[in-house]
Amino acid sequence: MAAWRPRQDWLEQAIVGALAQSGCEMELVVVDDGSPEPVAKLLTGFTDPRLRVVRVPHGGEPTARNAGIAASRGRFLRFIDADDVIEASSTARLLELVDGHEDVIGYGATLFCDEELRPIWKMTCELEGDVVDDCLLGRFTVRPHALLFPRSIVEAIGDWDSGFTVSHDWDFCLRGLEHASVRGTSAVVTYYRRHGEAATANADAGVAGADRVLDRYFKRHPGRVGTPFERRARAYNAALAGRVYLTHRSVRKGVPRLLRAARLDPRAIGTEIVLGLQVTRSRVRYAMRRGPSAGDSSPHRNA
């Protein structure tokens, strides 16, 4: 768990969720990314010996995660954030999916929530096996915090790339998928807290990061450069960027991206429409389930 200037109540919820894992042996390594106030001072109420805090000079989230890998001892690893919560039995469920295999990554669903961890919509995926192309084309709809990596795969991937501001998750996971197959469940394994300070709120950085992920992938696989698949991947990325910009009300930046996607491969626009409809349906279901007077329906309101 990388932490830089964390909000104390969210950090405590994240740690309680991690330490509540049942059905498996675990350790929690919190990496203090050079916060002005040492994170250890925020955690004086925790005495669980499975919790360790490692403090490193501020270098950004990828650098902190690399420090966490180096400090960890487990055969399997999960990367979690200091403002999210993982479901109490989720690690054991992911371990069952992996079933001891060194070349399989387990994954589950992510429940997107508001700042109070009240459900908004559920991100699921049904793909299994080799999903590299699906990941590049936006069909592997899995958040990085919903993944369980064998250490052997993490070692094969190499370091998190500190050259990214955002999209380093996509880059790291994509490189992992090049070394492993996946097995999944539709059960929720992580609760993602949406808030204004999240890195994904920066549209320009997100678009630049996604472009860099693709550039790095095709540099690793020069045999795919200039192929119809590269056109499809570039088209999907342009369509995604267009949707992100339009979501942030930047028509001037969004429309040219969508037009580029349409020129490269019109199917990319359809993919974004389908994904958008899926998200909308999920949002409506959770809104109807909660209702205007349902109170606090946070999955971890007592965490």
Side-chain angles (χ1 to χ4, degrees), residues 26-59:
M26 54 82 64
E27 64 174 350
L28 174 60
V29 179
V30 177
V31 182
D32 179 354
D33 184 24
S35 299
E37 179 181 8
V39 169
K41 291 184 177 180
L42 304 177
L43 303 179
T44 55
F46 289 90
T47 59
D48 194 313
R50 297 174 299 169
L51 169 63
R52 288 187 289 138
V53 179
V54 176
R55 182 172 171 84
V56 297
H58 181 56

Side-chain angles (χ1 to χ4, degrees), residues 119-136:
I120 299 174
W121 69 283
K122 179 180 176 182
M123 173 185 278
T124 60
C125 185
E126 298 180 354
L127 299 175
E128 295 196 330
D130 180 356
V131 295
V132 171
D133 287 4
D134 296 291
C135 185
L136 286 162

Side-chain angles (χ1 to χ4, degrees), residues 139-166:
R139 297 192 293 246
F140 186 58
T141 50
V142 178
R143 293 281 302 174
H145 309 94
L147 296 164
L148 179 72
F149 294 87
R151 178 175 287 276
S152 58
I153 296 299
V154 172
E155 291 173 350
I157 296 170
D159 285 347
W160 288 78
D161 188 340
S162 60
F164 284 92
T165 303
V166 295

Side-chain angles (χ1 to χ4, degrees), residues 10 64 70-71 126 134 141 186-187 203-204 233 253 260 270 285:
W10 291 357
E126 298 180 354
D134 296 291
T141 50
S186 61
D204 287 332
K253 294 181 178 180
R260 180 170 185 264
R285 283 198 299 269

Side-chain angles (χ1 to χ4, degrees), residues 189-200:
V189 299
T190 185
Y191 303 95
Y192 175 75
R193 192 192 307 267
R194 299 195 65 174
H195 56 90
E197 296 180 3
T200 48

